[in-house]
Amino acid sequence: MEGVEKVSEIKIQLSGINKSFPGVKALDNVNFSVRKGTVHCLCGENGAGKSTLMKIINGLYKPDTGQILIDGKAVEIRDPIQAREYGIAMIAQELNYVPEMSIEENIFLGRLPVNKFGKVDWKTVRSETIRFLEQEGLPYKPDQKLKTLTVSDIQMLEIIKAISYNAQIVIMDEPTSAITNREVEILFEKIEELKKRGVSIIYISHKMEEVFRIADDITVLRDGTVVDSMPAAQLTLDKVIALMVGREMTNVYPKEDVPIGEPIFEVEKLNCKGVFKNISFHVRRGEIVGFAGLMGAGRTETMRAIFGLDSYDSGEIRIHGKAVSIRRPSDAIANNLVMLSEDRRRYGIIPIRSVMENASISSLDKFFYGGRAHRKKEQEMVSEYFRRMNVKTPSLETLIQALSGGNQQKVLLAKWMLREPEVLILDEPTRGIDVGAKFEIYRLMTELVKEGKTIIMVSSELPELIGMCDRIYVMNKGIITGCLQKEEFSQETIMRFATGTQNVEVE
Ligand SMILES: Nc1ncnc2c1ncn2[C@@H]1O[C@H](COP(=O)(O)OP(=O)(O)OP(=O)(O)O)[C@@H](O)[C@H]1O
Ligand SMILES: [Mg+2]
């Protein structure tokens, strides 16, 4: 190394940022700066204030006090349009999209080009959209409606949109929570490209391996304050986790062996043309059974059909050995079967209702009997589950949309726990959840199976499947390609079945 290492200049600097919401101090005297041409990762537990800080940079929230400098000049960012003028682009954590909108409308939202007659120049919109899609190798048509796309497709579009702004500061709030491994690699290549062009990237993720792969600098937030900020090279994974949760974390997977009983839930030869084929599996009392596979393997589709969200062509579902007919989710719930969906925006939360209502909505019969509502009981039970899962909310009356992403997920989980189901299908239950809270969810899962419940866990995170499951089914292209016993668990074996050398196609 020759002489002093060159420290790149500061692109954006925030100092003394304070921000309160009713009942919470989200940010407390935060200082944060990002160097030009670097990736700065922001870590912290759910509700630590990460998204709030980013929304301040993006002009969505106004700080109560504090200053922002861009290229050394004090600026006031009043709204996202102005943020864009300062070269800031943000990919939001919770994808908020209009299902009826087309891809081209989405990409050009808020900046539709107009011709000399003041009319929207749709020809340019179309040709530019086609150019973007081709450039990124995406197989969509510009007029395709967003509702026809998967979560991962929409996430990818958001990323492309931000890049297309030619922004100098790109904020990515958990961009990889719903995209495939291949897309993650594409994203990381994009990030490298952006860095080379001098763009600063602020990256938020609960996936620590990602953080250590791409971070130049890391800042850790806890309860709205910065606990540390330094070059990634000076930090280790354990150190960051300890800074985040405020204590050392050992034994990440609190799985205990419980007696395994009789089969509680069985699926036999479930078929849905073009989606999945010949799906047969069973789950026994006290078991946690995993479903591994690459994104698009058909795991979510299978679970949706079982839960009555989608229809299927043939096959049988048995609970306690008795065939049940599940045509809609209410049939499943009546049979003590519940499912936590992977896409909480689309199928999970009711944004403008309180956290309490969101939690109790599927268990109202438990709180309304003898001709009257038992509000106190409702409150007690909801509070109990919130306490067990460490849900961070100012009150039970707070609207769920005001909660941080991870805490919304915990409320949804509490909703199903409250139902006291016998069989739980959890589709990516820890997506977007911080390490500390993940541990709480795992512990809750362990408690549930101890009570004799059964759990089906779909997850894309192999370490958590290996750490928590008794058996793991692997799917590939719509069929079950393997069932692994505990002694056979390894990432390599799972991946072998998940990528499948046999290449069976669904008809
Ligand atoms: N619009 C809002 N109204 C009220 N409270 C809010 C609002 N936005 C955020 N908060 C609160 O501010 C705190 C910080 O939330 P924030 O979304 O910034 O957390 P986060 O670090 O991004 O968490 P996660 O990892 O779960 O996404 C939380 O207590 C949250 O409930
Ligand atoms: Mg957030």
PDB file of all heavy atoms in Angstrom, residues 71-94:
ATOM      1  N   ASP A  71     -23.095  16.822  -0.815  1.00  0.00           N
ATOM      2  CA  ASP A  71     -21.875  17.410  -1.365  1.00  0.00           C
ATOM      3  C   ASP A  71     -21.456  18.640  -0.560  1.00  0.00           C
ATOM      4  O   ASP A  71     -21.041  19.661  -1.130  1.00  0.00           O
ATOM      5  CB  ASP A  71     -22.084  17.805  -2.846  1.00  0.00           C
ATOM      6  CG  ASP A  71     -22.323  16.582  -3.710  1.00  0.00           C
ATOM      7  OD1 ASP A  71     -21.685  15.540  -3.450  1.00  0.00           O
ATOM      8  OD2 ASP A  71     -23.159  16.665  -4.632  1.00  0.00           O
ATOM      9  N   GLY A  72     -21.613  18.559   0.746  1.00  0.00           N
ATOM     10  CA  GLY A  72     -21.167  19.636   1.618  1.00  0.00           C
ATOM     11  C   GLY A  72     -22.119  20.815   1.740  1.00  0.00           C
ATOM     12  O   GLY A  72     -21.874  21.739   2.512  1.00  0.00           O
ATOM     13  N   LYS A  73     -23.220  20.783   0.991  1.00  0.00           N
ATOM     14  CA  LYS A  73     -24.156  21.909   1.035  1.00  0.00           C
ATOM     15  C   LYS A  73     -25.432  21.525   1.796  1.00  0.00           C
ATOM     16  O   LYS A  73     -25.998  20.457   1.556  1.00  0.00           O
ATOM     17  CB  LYS A  73     -24.540  22.329  -0.383  1.00  0.00           C
ATOM     18  CG  LYS A  73     -23.510  23.240  -1.033  1.00  0.00           C
ATOM     19  CD  LYS A  73     -24.114  24.122  -2.120  1.00  0.00           C
ATOM     20  CE  LYS A  73     -24.626  23.358  -3.316  1.00  0.00           C
ATOM     21  NZ  LYS A  73     -23.537  22.816  -4.168  1.00  0.00           N
ATOM     22  N   ALA A  74     -25.862  22.407   2.684  1.00  0.00           N
ATOM     23  CA  ALA A  74     -27.080  22.128   3.449  1.00  0.00           C
ATOM     24  C   ALA A  74     -28.288  22.110   2.510  1.00  0.00           C
ATOM     25  O   ALA A  74     -28.430  22.988   1.656  1.00  0.00           O
ATOM     26  CB  ALA A  74     -27.280  23.191   4.518  1.00  0.00           C
ATOM     27  N   VAL A  75     -29.115  21.105   2.656  1.00  0.00           N
ATOM     28  CA  VAL A  75     -30.306  21.024   1.813  1.00  0.00           C
ATOM     29  C   VAL A  75     -31.535  20.730   2.670  1.00  0.00           C
ATOM     30  O   VAL A  75     -31.424  20.217   3.774  1.00  0.00           O
ATOM     31  CB  VAL A  75     -30.193  19.899   0.746  1.00  0.00           C
ATOM     32  CG1 VAL A  75     -29.095  20.187  -0.229  1.00  0.00           C
ATOM     33  CG2 VAL A  75     -29.988  18.546   1.413  1.00  0.00           C
ATOM     34  N   GLU A  76     -32.672  21.077   2.113  1.00  0.00           N
ATOM     35  CA  GLU A  76     -33.912  20.684   2.767  1.00  0.00           C
ATOM     36  C   GLU A  76     -34.664  19.825   1.763  1.00  0.00           C
ATOM     37  O   GLU A  76     -34.892  20.249   0.627  1.00  0.00           O
ATOM     38  CB  GLU A  76     -34.731  21.928   3.127  1.00  0.00           C
ATOM     39  CG  GLU A  76     -35.782  21.636   4.172  1.00  0.00           C
ATOM     40  CD  GLU A  76     -36.745  22.792   4.326  1.00  0.00           C
ATOM     41  OE1 GLU A  76     -36.322  23.958   4.144  1.00  0.00           O
ATOM     42  OE2 GLU A  76     -37.927  22.528   4.595  1.00  0.00           O
ATOM     43  N   ILE A  77     -34.969  18.609   2.162  1.00  0.00           N
ATOM     44  CA  ILE A  77     -35.636  17.708   1.220  1.00  0.00           C
ATOM     45  C   ILE A  77     -37.099  17.617   1.620  1.00  0.00           C
ATOM     46  O   ILE A  77     -37.454  16.973   2.597  1.00  0.00           O
ATOM     47  CB  ILE A  77     -34.953  16.323   1.228  1.00  0.00           C
ATOM     48  CG1 ILE A  77     -33.451  16.467   0.955  1.00  0.00           C
ATOM     49  CG2 ILE A  77     -35.594  15.410   0.180  1.00  0.00           C
ATOM     50  CD1 ILE A  77     -32.636  15.220   1.199  1.00  0.00           C
ATOM     51  N   ARG A  78     -37.935  18.293   0.851  1.00  0.00           N
ATOM     52  CA  ARG A  78     -39.333  18.417   1.261  1.00  0.00           C
ATOM     53  C   ARG A  78     -40.191  17.226   0.852  1.00  0.00           C
ATOM     54  O   ARG A  78     -41.139  16.882   1.511  1.00  0.00           O
ATOM     55  CB  ARG A  78     -39.937  19.706   0.677  1.00  0.00           C
ATOM     56  CG  ARG A  78     -39.582  20.946   1.455  1.00  0.00           C
ATOM     57  CD  ARG A  78     -40.401  22.131   0.972  1.00  0.00           C
ATOM     58  NE  ARG A  78     -40.281  22.279  -0.474  1.00  0.00           N
ATOM     59  CZ  ARG A  78     -39.351  23.028  -1.070  1.00  0.00           C
ATOM     60  NH1 ARG A  78     -38.474  23.692  -0.341  1.00  0.00           N
ATOM     61  NH2 ARG A  78     -39.284  23.126  -2.375  1.00  0.00           N
ATOM     62  N   ASP A  79     -39.882  16.631  -0.290  1.00  0.00           N
ATOM     63  CA  ASP A  79     -40.684  15.495  -0.753  1.00  0.00           C
ATOM     64  C   ASP A  79     -39.857  14.628  -1.695  1.00  0.00           C
ATOM     65  O   ASP A  79     -38.760  15.013  -2.108  1.00  0.00           O
ATOM     66  CB  ASP A  79     -41.967  15.989  -1.443  1.00  0.00           C
ATOM     67  CG  ASP A  79     -41.663  17.011  -2.518  1.00  0.00           C
ATOM     68  OD1 ASP A  79     -40.680  16.798  -3.272  1.00  0.00           O
ATOM     69  OD2 ASP A  79     -42.366  18.028  -2.611  1.00  0.00           O
ATOM     70  N   PRO A  80     -40.371  13.462  -2.058  1.00  0.00           N
ATOM     71  CA  PRO A  80     -39.591  12.550  -2.910  1.00  0.00           C
ATOM     72  C   PRO A  80     -39.242  13.140  -4.268  1.00  0.00           C
ATOM     73  O   PRO A  80     -38.219  12.792  -4.855  1.00  0.00           O
ATOM     74  CB  PRO A  80     -40.510  11.342  -3.068  1.00  0.00           C
ATOM     75  CG  PRO A  80     -41.361  11.362  -1.848  1.00  0.00           C
ATOM     76  CD  PRO A  80     -41.578  12.811  -1.543  1.00  0.00           C
ATOM     77  N   ILE A  81     -40.081  14.049  -4.761  1.00  0.00           N
ATOM     78  CA  ILE A  81     -39.778  14.649  -6.066  1.00  0.00           C
ATOM     79  C   ILE A  81     -38.511  15.482  -5.951  1.00  0.00           C
ATOM     80  O   ILE A  81     -37.610  15.420  -6.783  1.00  0.00           O
ATOM     81  CB  ILE A  81     -40.973  15.499  -6.568  1.00  0.00           C
ATOM     82  CG1 ILE A  81     -42.167  14.569  -6.797  1.00  0.00           C
ATOM     83  CG2 ILE A  81     -40.619  16.265  -7.843  1.00  0.00           C
ATOM     84  CD1 ILE A  81     -43.471  15.271  -7.053  1.00  0.00           C
ATOM     85  N   GLN A  82     -38.435  16.239  -4.828  1.00  0.00           N
ATOM     86  CA  GLN A  82     -37.236  17.031  -4.612  1.00  0.00           C
ATOM     87  C   GLN A  82     -36.026  16.120  -4.341  1.00  0.00           C
ATOM     88  O   GLN A  82     -34.920  16.403  -4.796  1.00  0.00           O
ATOM     89  CB  GLN A  82     -37.462  17.970  -3.441  1.00  0.00           C
ATOM     90  CG  GLN A  82     -36.607  19.192  -3.578  1.00  0.00           C
ATOM     91  CD  GLN A  82     -36.842  20.143  -2.430  1.00  0.00           C
ATOM     92  OE1 GLN A  82     -37.238  19.732  -1.344  1.00  0.00           O
ATOM     93  NE2 GLN A  82     -36.589  21.407  -2.680  1.00  0.00           N
ATOM     94  N   ALA A  83     -36.265  15.039  -3.635  1.00  0.00           N
ATOM     95  CA  ALA A  83     -35.174  14.087  -3.370  1.00  0.00           C
ATOM     96  C   ALA A  83     -34.600  13.615  -4.696  1.00  0.00           C
ATOM     97  O   ALA A  83     -33.390  13.513  -4.872  1.00  0.00           O
ATOM     98  CB  ALA A  83     -35.691  12.916  -2.548  1.00  0.00           C
ATOM     99  N   ARG A  84     -35.489  13.338  -5.636  1.00  0.00           N
ATOM    100  CA  ARG A  84     -35.029  12.864  -6.938  1.00  0.00           C
ATOM    101  C   ARG A  84     -34.180  13.927  -7.628  1.00  0.00           C
ATOM    102  O   ARG A  84     -33.183  13.617  -8.270  1.00  0.00           O
ATOM    103  CB  ARG A  84     -36.228  12.489  -7.804  1.00  0.00           C
ATOM    104  CG  ARG A  84     -35.867  11.507  -8.903  1.00  0.00           C
ATOM    105  CD  ARG A  84     -37.044  11.213  -9.789  1.00  0.00           C
ATOM    106  NE  ARG A  84     -38.149  10.636  -9.042  1.00  0.00           N
ATOM    107  CZ  ARG A  84     -39.411  10.660  -9.460  1.00  0.00           C
ATOM    108  NH1 ARG A  84     -39.727  11.238 -10.602  1.00  0.00           N
ATOM    109  NH2 ARG A  84     -40.348  10.108  -8.745  1.00  0.00           N
ATOM    110  N   GLU A  85     -34.577  15.195  -7.447  1.00  0.00           N
ATOM    111  CA  GLU A  85     -33.780  16.284  -8.027  1.00  0.00           C
ATOM    112  C   GLU A  85     -32.379  16.339  -7.418  1.00  0.00           C
ATOM    113  O   GLU A  85     -31.420  16.725  -8.071  1.00  0.00           O
ATOM    114  CB  GLU A  85     -34.495  17.629  -7.855  1.00  0.00           C
ATOM    115  CG  GLU A  85     -35.624  17.796  -8.862  1.00  0.00           C
ATOM    116  CD  GLU A  85     -36.632  18.866  -8.455  1.00  0.00           C
ATOM    117  OE1 GLU A  85     -36.331  19.664  -7.550  1.00  0.00           O
ATOM    118  OE2 GLU A  85     -37.735  18.866  -9.047  1.00  0.00           O
ATOM    119  N   TYR A  86     -32.272  15.957  -6.157  1.00  0.00           N
ATOM    120  CA  TYR A  86     -30.949  15.888  -5.520  1.00  0.00           C
ATOM    121  C   TYR A  86     -30.225  14.582  -5.858  1.00  0.00           C
ATOM    122  O   TYR A  86     -29.176  14.290  -5.302  1.00  0.00           O
ATOM    123  CB  TYR A  86     -31.069  16.013  -3.997  1.00  0.00           C
ATOM    124  CG  TYR A  86     -31.345  17.413  -3.519  1.00  0.00           C
ATOM    125  CD1 TYR A  86     -32.502  17.698  -2.808  1.00  0.00           C
ATOM    126  CD2 TYR A  86     -30.439  18.444  -3.767  1.00  0.00           C
ATOM    127  CE1 TYR A  86     -32.765  18.985  -2.357  1.00  0.00           C
ATOM    128  CE2 TYR A  86     -30.699  19.732  -3.325  1.00  0.00           C
ATOM    129  CZ  TYR A  86     -31.864  19.998  -2.622  1.00  0.00           C
ATOM    130  OH  TYR A  86     -32.103  21.271  -2.188  1.00  0.00           O
ATOM    131  N   GLY A  87     -30.799  13.783  -6.721  1.00  0.00           N
ATOM    132  CA  GLY A  87     -30.139  12.556  -7.142  1.00  0.00           C
ATOM    133  C   GLY A  87     -30.356  11.377  -6.206  1.00  0.00           C
ATOM    134  O   GLY A  87     -29.558  10.455  -6.152  1.00  0.00           O
ATOM    135  N   ILE A  88     -31.464  11.423  -5.466  1.00  0.00           N
ATOM    136  CA  ILE A  88     -31.734  10.341  -4.522  1.00  0.00           C
ATOM    137  C   ILE A  88     -32.845   9.428  -5.059  1.00  0.00           C
ATOM    138  O   ILE A  88     -33.870   9.913  -5.539  1.00  0.00           O
ATOM    139  CB  ILE A  88     -32.187  10.918  -3.160  1.00  0.00           C
ATOM    140  CG1 ILE A  88     -31.051  11.753  -2.557  1.00  0.00           C
ATOM    141  CG2 ILE A  88     -32.630   9.820  -2.199  1.00  0.00           C
ATOM    142  CD1 ILE A  88     -31.498  12.715  -1.478  1.00  0.00           C
ATOM    143  N   ALA A  89     -32.621   8.141  -5.006  1.00  0.00           N
ATOM    144  CA  ALA A  89     -33.669   7.184  -5.392  1.00  0.00           C
ATOM    145  C   ALA A  89     -33.804   6.162  -4.283  1.00  0.00           C
ATOM    146  O   ALA A  89     -32.821   5.777  -3.661  1.00  0.00           O
ATOM    147  CB  ALA A  89     -33.309   6.482  -6.691  1.00  0.00           C
ATOM    148  N   MET A  90     -35.038   5.743  -4.016  1.00  0.00           N
ATOM    149  CA  MET A  90     -35.231   4.787  -2.931  1.00  0.00           C
ATOM    150  C   MET A  90     -36.126   3.640  -3.362  1.00  0.00           C
ATOM    151  O   MET A  90     -37.172   3.826  -3.955  1.00  0.00           O
ATOM    152  CB  MET A  90     -35.862   5.498  -1.731  1.00  0.00           C
ATOM    153  CG  MET A  90     -36.247   4.555  -0.608  1.00  0.00           C
ATOM    154  SD  MET A  90     -36.378   5.444   0.968  1.00  0.00           S
ATOM    155  CE  MET A  90     -37.185   4.216   1.979  1.00  0.00           C
ATOM    156  N   ILE A  91     -35.664   2.442  -3.053  1.00  0.00           N
ATOM    157  CA  ILE A  91     -36.495   1.265  -3.265  1.00  0.00           C
ATOM    158  C   ILE A  91     -37.097   0.935  -1.913  1.00  0.00           C
ATOM    159  O   ILE A  91     -36.388   0.584  -0.975  1.00  0.00           O
ATOM    160  CB  ILE A  91     -35.656   0.084  -3.768  1.00  0.00           C
ATOM    161  CG1 ILE A  91     -34.977   0.478  -5.071  1.00  0.00           C
ATOM    162  CG2 ILE A  91     -36.523  -1.149  -3.949  1.00  0.00           C
ATOM    163  CD1 ILE A  91     -33.807  -0.390  -5.405  1.00  0.00           C
ATOM    164  N   ALA A  92     -38.411   1.091  -1.813  1.00  0.00           N
ATOM    165  CA  ALA A  92     -39.051   0.970  -0.505  1.00  0.00           C
ATOM    166  C   ALA A  92     -39.083  -0.468  -0.030  1.00  0.00           C
ATOM    167  O   ALA A  92     -39.041  -1.410  -0.812  1.00  0.00           O
ATOM    168  CB  ALA A  92     -40.458   1.537  -0.562  1.00  0.00           C
ATOM    169  N   GLN A  93     -39.166  -0.611   1.277  1.00  0.00           N
ATOM    170  CA  GLN A  93     -39.188  -1.937   1.896  1.00  0.00           C
ATOM    171  C   GLN A  93     -40.514  -2.643   1.615  1.00  0.00           C
ATOM    172  O   GLN A  93     -40.539  -3.791   1.206  1.00  0.00           O
ATOM    173  CB  GLN A  93     -38.980  -1.770   3.399  1.00  0.00           C
ATOM    174  CG  GLN A  93     -39.101  -3.043   4.196  1.00  0.00           C
ATOM    175  CD  GLN A  93     -38.831  -2.788   5.679  1.00  0.00           C
ATOM    176  OE1 GLN A  93     -38.852  -1.653   6.144  1.00  0.00           O
ATOM    177  NE2 GLN A  93     -38.573  -3.841   6.407  1.00  0.00           N
ATOM    178  N   GLU A  94     -41.600  -1.948   1.872  1.00  0.00           N
ATOM    179  CA  GLU A  94     -42.910  -2.540   1.636  1.00  0.00           C
ATOM    180  C   GLU A  94     -43.340  -2.086   0.257  1.00  0.00           C
ATOM    181  O   GLU A  94     -43.564  -0.911   0.021  1.00  0.00           O
ATOM    182  CB  GLU A  94     -43.927  -2.048   2.667  1.00  0.00           C
ATOM    183  CG  GLU A  94     -43.573  -2.399   4.081  1.00  0.00           C
ATOM    184  CD  GLU A  94     -43.602  -3.887   4.355  1.00  0.00           C
ATOM    185  OE1 GLU A  94     -44.375  -4.599   3.679  1.00  0.00           O
ATOM    186  OE2 GLU A  94     -42.848  -4.337   5.230  1.00  0.00           O
TER     187      GLU A  94
END
